[in-house]
């Protein structure tokens, strides 16, 4: 690697030693990759260095050892690969390897590895305190059944706590900055407003210029707001959101929450859901005055960030939207809930923060005995098994604090299993045609999927004959996350329409939101998105697609589908060339946090954050999760 010797010596960012996915030995002039994955098989490989910038594959052998998920190096379809952590003389580097043919790879984009700082959790600023301070009193608490309901421990393994560490978020910001560089201030400010809110708010209050994410920005351990940023969406952010105007109105959404300023630290109000609490312990220890406020239990608190609109631009980065009313609805779970039957029965917190009774809400000071019922556990249930598993597997690289995400992963799986219910009915076999209806009942309080538009739900249906042979299949998901015969996964310039009737294996029902730009072209770039060309995400019960506001309307063919209504969709199957007398049907919904087409568009960007996340994504076995299944409905004539 002599060509890069000067570059390497000029990389001054210190990288803490830790495990690597490849090791370069200067004495042998050789790169060793212990866990290479190619076509779902695992290998170990040795490559020799060919000056100035190439490597030759010399040895490859099957890898029989147990493969650590974080050390998997996927080989992509073009035989290229990315190494995030090459160990070299005590330092770590990242590089792309492009295959040239005849076992030769060329080295590209050599740079220092991204190794995040965990940040301190025990800190105080003028407006905020770190979660480590809260943990000293609000961990070690149990309910009346003896279950551990510690607040900070539960929160630590949520996406809220790790909002800044999320490598998908970091990769997507880098992509948006690459594609619209003249809007970098807007991108940095908007994205950190809800992913690093304490850092963003503190910088605003101190009159600092807009802080970047990368470079000398929030992710840099030398940045004065770094600890605030790495603490994610933390305790003293949510519990300080003011209940005063404009709280609960559209003016407070899209990250426009208000954190009040007080003359002294002990006068700062920290809002909670319980009345008659002791104030002196928090005043003395945490410098906050706890007060009861009903707004902390309301869905409007969540709407501060989970109803989000963004302006849209042309290809040159010029903003075309004329007002907030004209902006793109990036995610609108609150508004979806507001127009459902759940508005009368369940708040966001009641579903995403499971309840416990008989909880003494603080472990200190000693002697506290008041037990509280309807205690909201801070596990912040979600469906993002993909990212939770990546946070656990790559905790050193991402600067993750907790070691075990297993409970959060199980909670996410359980939440998904309860998101929908499938029914097969009206089954008939006549004149060599198999007909049946698949009714999909949504059990969620918002659209399914909801939130960020990378998410999708696929309908997978198998029909087998009497001998067990597959005679029909639609919606088959491959190991790489792509779906067989899905238009968008075969060509990113297309999308699969909504279906009322499935007659062919080439037709795949996918519940998703597909973005389009101001020229009506499909786009996966958020700042280009003006509207949705398709939005057939399953609707919550009580949702009237004829009367809801424009920002949450159904888009595309689903708008005309009479069976696509609030709470359910009925998908009819009419399959020809079925001459048998006995068939079985298997149906399931498959959820993906990151759809294949969305991912491939992101991975086209040349940036270390993107390449790193591409490696993590492709190495993951949790790209897809089955939501619910109906198995072996046997038909006899």
């Amino acid at each position: 690697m002599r060509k890069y010797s000067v570059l390497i010596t000029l990389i001054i960012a210190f990288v803490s030693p830790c495990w690597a996915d490849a090791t370069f030995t200067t004495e042998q002039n050789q790169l060793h990759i212990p866990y290479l994955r190619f076509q779902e098989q695992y290998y170990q490989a040795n490559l020799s260095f060919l000056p100035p910038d190439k490597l030759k594959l010399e040895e490859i052998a099957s890898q029989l050892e147990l493969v650590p998920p974080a050390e998997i190096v996927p080989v992509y379809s073009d035989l290229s690969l990315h190494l995030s952590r090459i160990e070299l003389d005590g330092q770590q580097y990242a590089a792309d390897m492009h295959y040239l043919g005849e076992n030769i790879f060329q080295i590209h984009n050599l740079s220092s590895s991204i190794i995040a700082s965990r940040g301190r959790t025990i800190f105080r600023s003028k407006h905020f305190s770190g979660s480590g301070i809260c943990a000293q009193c609000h961990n070690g608490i149990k309910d009346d059944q003896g279950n551990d309901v510690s607040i900070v421990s539960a929160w630590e393994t949520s996406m809220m706590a790790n909002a800044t560490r999320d490598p998908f978020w970091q990769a997507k910001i880098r992509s948006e900055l690459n594609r619209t560089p003249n809007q970098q201030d807007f991108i940095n400010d908007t994205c950190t407003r809800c992913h690093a809110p304490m850092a963003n708010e503190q910088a605003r209050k101190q009159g600092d210029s807009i802080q970047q994410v990368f470079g000398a920005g929030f992710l840099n351990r030398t940045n004065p707001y770094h600890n605030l940023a790495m603490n994610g969406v933390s305790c003293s952010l949510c519990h300080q959101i003011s209940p005063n105007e404009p709280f609960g109105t559209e003016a407070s959404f899209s990250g426009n929450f208000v954190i009040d300023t007080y003359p002294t630290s002990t006068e700062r109000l920290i809002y909670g859901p319980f009345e008659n609490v002791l104030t002196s312990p928090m005043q003395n220890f945490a410098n906050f005055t706890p007060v009861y406020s009903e707004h902390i239990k309301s869905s409007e608190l969540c709407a501060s960030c989970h109803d989000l609109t963004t302006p849209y631009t042309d290809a040159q980065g010029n903003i075309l939207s004329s007002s907030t009313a004209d902006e793109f609805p990036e995610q609108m779970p609150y508004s979806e809930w507001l127009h459902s039957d759940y508005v009368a029965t369940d708040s966001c917190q009641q579903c995403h923060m499971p309840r416990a009774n008989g909880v003494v809400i603080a472990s200190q000071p000693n002697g506290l005995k008041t037990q509280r019922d309807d205690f909201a556990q801070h596990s912040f249930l979600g469906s993002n098994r993909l990212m939770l598993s990546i946070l656990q597997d790559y905790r050193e690289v991402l600067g993750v604090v907790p070691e075990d995400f297993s409970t959060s992963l199980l909670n996410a799986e359980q939440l998904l299993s309860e998101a929908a219910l499938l029914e097969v009915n009206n089954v008939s076999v006549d004149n060599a045609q198999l007909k049946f209806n698949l009714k999909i009942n949504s059990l969620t309080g918002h659209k399914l999927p909801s939130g960020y538009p990378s998410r999708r739900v696929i309908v997978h249906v198998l029909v087998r004959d009497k001998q067990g042979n597959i005679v029909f299949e639609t919606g088959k998901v491959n190991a790489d996350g792509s779906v067989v015969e899905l238009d968008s996964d075969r060509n990113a310039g297309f999308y699969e329409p909504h279906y009322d009737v499935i007659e062919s294996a080439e037709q795949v029902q996918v519940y998703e939101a597909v973005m389009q730009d101001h020229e009506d072209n499909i786009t996966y770039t958020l700042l280009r998105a003006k509207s949705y060309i398709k939005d057939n995400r399953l609707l919550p019960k009580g949702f009237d697609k004829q009367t809801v506001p424009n920002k949450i309307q159904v888009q595309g063919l689903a708008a005309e589908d009479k069976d696509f209504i609030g709470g359910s969709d009925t998908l009819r199957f009419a399959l020809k060339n079925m001459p048998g007398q006995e068939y079985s049907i298997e149906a399931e919904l498959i959820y993906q946090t990151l759809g294949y087409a969305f991912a491939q568009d992101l991975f086209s960007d040349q940036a270390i954050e993107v390449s790193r996340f591409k490696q993590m994504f492709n190495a993951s076995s949790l790209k897809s999760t089955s939501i619910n299944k109906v198995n072996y409905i046997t038909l006899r004539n």
Side-chain angles (χ1 to χ4, degrees):
M1 294 188 170
R2 298 183 187 89
K3 176 181 177 181
Y4 291 104
S5 59
V6 176
L7 173 62
I8 290 172
T9 58
L10 291 175
I11 296 176
I12 59 174
F14 176 76
V15 179
S16 300
C18 63
W19 48 264
D21 53 20
T23 303
F24 186 81
T25 307
T26 53
E27 293 82 4
Q28 297 176 331
N29 203 37
Q30 188 175 79
L31 182 74
H32 176 65
I33 306 176
Y35 302 108
L36 200 66
R37 191 179 73 190
F38 179 61
Q39 295 181 347
E40 302 310 312
Q41 300 296 315
Y42 292 93
Y43 304 91
Q44 51 184 315
N46 291 318
L47 300 92
S48 59
F49 179 57
L50 305 177
D53 59 355
K54 294 181 178 65
L55 291 162
K56 183 179 181 180
L57 180 63
E58 300 286 2
E59 298 174 297
I60 189 164
S62 295
Q63 177 56 271
L64 303 179
E65 295 180 9
L66 184 65
V67 180
E71 298 184 42
I72 296 172
V73 177
V75 178
Y76 306 129
S77 58
D78 60 357
L79 302 184
S80 66
L81 55 101
H82 174 77
L83 297 172
S84 294
R85 300 169 306 282
I86 305 170
E87 181 76 22
L88 172 61
D89 295 335
Q91 298 292 305
Q92 290 199 343
Y93 304 93
D96 294 316
M97 307 294 177
H98 293 180
Y99 186 63
L100 301 179
E102 298 183 355
N103 293 338
I104 303 296
F105 293 83
Q106 187 166 41
I107 304 167
H108 290 269
N109 306 320
L110 181 69
S111 62
S112 179
S113 291
I114 304 173
I115 306 293
S117 159
R118 292 185 178 184
R120 298 202 320 270
T121 62
I122 297 179
F123 61 83
R124 289 183 173 89
S125 72
K126 184 176 181 181
H127 297 91
F128 301 103
S129 292
S131 60
I133 291 177
C134 307
Q136 295 179 51
C137 292
H138 293 292
N139 272 353
I141 59 177
K142 297 182 178 181
D143 65 11
D144 57 8
Q145 303 299 309
N147 300 309
D148 188 339
V149 291
S150 296
I151 293 175
V152 178
S153 294
W155 163 85
E156 277 184 330
T157 57
S158 71
M159 293 305 300
M160 302 279 277
N162 296 284
T164 316
R165 298 182 179 91
D166 182 343
F168 178 26
W169 177 73
Q170 292 182 16
K172 187 57 178 167
I173 289 180
R174 176 60 77 188
S175 173
E176 294 288 325
L177 289 169
N178 287 350
R179 298 180 187 192
T180 317
N182 58 335
Q183 292 296 336
Q184 63 174 320
D185 283 353
F186 171 81
I187 295 168
N188 281 305
D189 186 51
T190 300
C191 295
T192 60
R193 186 62 182 165
C194 287
H195 277 260
M198 293 193 300
N200 181 289
E201 177 73 6
Q202 187 77 28
R204 288 188 183 192
K205 287 187 180 299
Q206 293 186 193
D208 276 2
S209 59
I210 293 173
Q211 295 288 309
Q212 297 179 0
V213 173
F214 305 112
F218 287 151
L219 297 182
N220 190 311
R221 71 187 71 200
T222 65
N223 185 281
Y225 306 104
H226 177 71
N227 292 323
L228 290 154
M230 299 309 290
N231 216 216
V233 185
S234 193
C235 321
S236 62
L237 185 283
C238 292
H239 285 273
Q240 277 197 96
I241 292 178
S242 173
N244 302 319
E245 192 176 349
F247 178 84
T249 69
E250 287 192 19
S252 70
F253 303 162
S254 296
N256 291 313
F257 53 82
V258 173
I259 304 294
D260 291 326
T261 300
Y262 300 91
T264 64
S265 60
T266 54
E267 293 179 74
R268 298 178 302 183
L269 299 183
I270 197 93
Y271 300 103
F274 296 115
E275 299 181 85
N276 302 318
V277 296
L278 291 175
T279 58
S280 56
M282 285 196 72
Q283 288 172 328
N284 294 333
F285 184 71
N287 303 133
F288 285 103
T289 297
V291 295
Y292 167 78
S293 181
E294 190 71 21
H295 86 290
I296 204 72
K297 300 187 287 184
S298 72
S299 295
E300 285 71 25
L301 186 78
C302 309
S304 299
C305 281
H306 290 288
D307 250 25
L308 173 62
T309 63
T310 52
Y312 61 91
T313 73
D314 59 19
Q316 290 71 47
N318 301 305
I319 292 179
L320 302 179
S321 46
S322 57
S323 65
T324 54
D326 188 36
E327 290 183 341
F328 170 67
E330 189 233 67
Q331 58 175 283
M332 307 292 285
Y334 167 78
S335 290
E336 295 160 11
W337 166 86
L338 191 64
H339 290 84
S340 77
D341 286 351
Y342 292 89
V343 71
T345 59
D346 297 286
S347 67
C348 304
Q349 292 91 327
Q350 285 171 305
C351 287
H352 294 275
M353 302 178 73
R355 301 293 142 150
N357 293 323
V359 179
V360 178
I361 61 175
S363 57
Q364 295 188 47
N366 295 326
L368 291 178
K369 296 181 179 179
T370 303
Q371 294 186 342
R372 307 286 184 169
D373 291 336
D374 199 35
F375 170 81
Q377 299 182 59
H378 285 57
S379 45
F380 295 104
L381 304 184
S383 58
N384 202 339
R385 295 180 74 221
L386 170 69
M387 291 313 310
L388 290 171
S389 65
I390 287 175
L391 288 166
Q392 175 168 279
D393 292 341
Y394 297 88
R395 54 186 304 274
E396 285 190 67
V397 174
L398 299 173
V400 173
V401 175
E403 296 183 3
D404 185 4
F405 281 74
S406 59
T407 299
S408 288
L409 284 162
L410 287 171
N411 287 340
E413 185 175 17
Q414 179 66 26
L415 189 72
L416 279 169
S417 72
E418 298 170 352
L421 185 66
L422 304 183
E423 303 174 41
V424 174
N425 54 45
N426 294 344
V427 181
S428 67
V429 181
D430 190 36
N431 295 324
Q433 187 175 45
L434 170 63
K435 292 183 177 181
F436 62 91
N437 291 347
L438 178 64
K439 186 177 182 183
I440 302 156
N441 301 285
S442 174
L443 306 178
T444 65
H446 43 62
K447 290 182 181 180
L448 176 65
S450 188
Y452 194 68
S454 66
R455 302 166 183 173
R456 65 186 187 182
V457 170
I458 302 119
V459 177
H460 179 217
V461 173
L462 275 171
V463 178
R464 300 179 188 270
D465 63 16
K466 186 176 181 179
Q467 289 72 40
N469 302 311
I470 297 174
V471 293
F472 174 83
E473 184 171 17
T474 176
K476 179 182 179 180
V477 179
N478 297 315
D480 63 1
S482 64
V483 179
V484 175
E485 298 292 350
L486 190 66
D487 290 348
S488 61
D489 292 3
R490 294 190 295 178
N491 187 326
F494 294 86
Y495 70 94
E496 193 84 17
H498 173 85
Y499 294 104
D500 179 29
V501 182
I502 296 287
E503 299 175 305
S504 164
E506 295 180 358
Q507 298 171 316
V508 183
Q509 185 79 308
V510 180
Y511 299 110
E512 62 183 346
V514 180
M515 303 184 292
Q516 63 179 349
D517 64 19
H518 73 104
E519 295 179 328
D520 299 334
N521 298 313
I522 293 172
T523 184
Y524 295 95
T525 305
L526 286 174
L527 274 186
R528 300 286 187 274
K530 178 183 178 182
S531 58
Y532 292 110
I533 194 171
K534 174 191 178 185
D535 184 356
N536 71 332
R537 293 173 292 177
L538 290 160
L539 306 175
K541 187 178 179 182
F543 189 101
D544 187 344
K545 65 183 182 183
Q546 304 298 330
T547 62
V548 296
N550 182 62
K551 288 187 183 298
I552 57 172
Q553 283 184 358
V554 175
Q555 302 293 340
L557 296 178
E560 307 302 322
D561 182 353
K562 294 181 181 179
D563 295 321
F564 184 83
I565 60 175
S568 69
D569 180 32
T570 299
L571 184 60
R572 293 178 291 146
F573 285 77
L575 309 178
K576 297 179 180 180
N577 301 316
M578 296 288 182
Q581 297 299 306
E582 186 173 320
Y583 295 99
S584 63
I585 300 166
E586 304 169 35
E588 66 176 331
L589 296 182
I590 298 175
Y591 170 78
Q592 294 181 334
T593 294
L594 177 55
Y596 182 82
F598 201 108
Q600 298 313 302
D601 176 82
L602 172 62
F603 297 155
S604 67
D605 278 63
Q606 297 297 312
I608 187 172
E609 295 86 3
V610 174
S611 294
R612 180 186 68 166
F613 177 61
K614 180 181 179 180
Q615 180 184 0
M616 295 174 176
F617 175 79
N618 281 284
S620 175
S621 61
L622 292 181
K623 301 181 188 71
S624 306
T625 299
S626 179
I627 293 179
N628 202 293
K629 293 183 180 180
V630 175
N631 291 315
Y632 300 102
I633 308 299
T634 302
L635 316 174
R636 289 183 177 87
N637 256 2

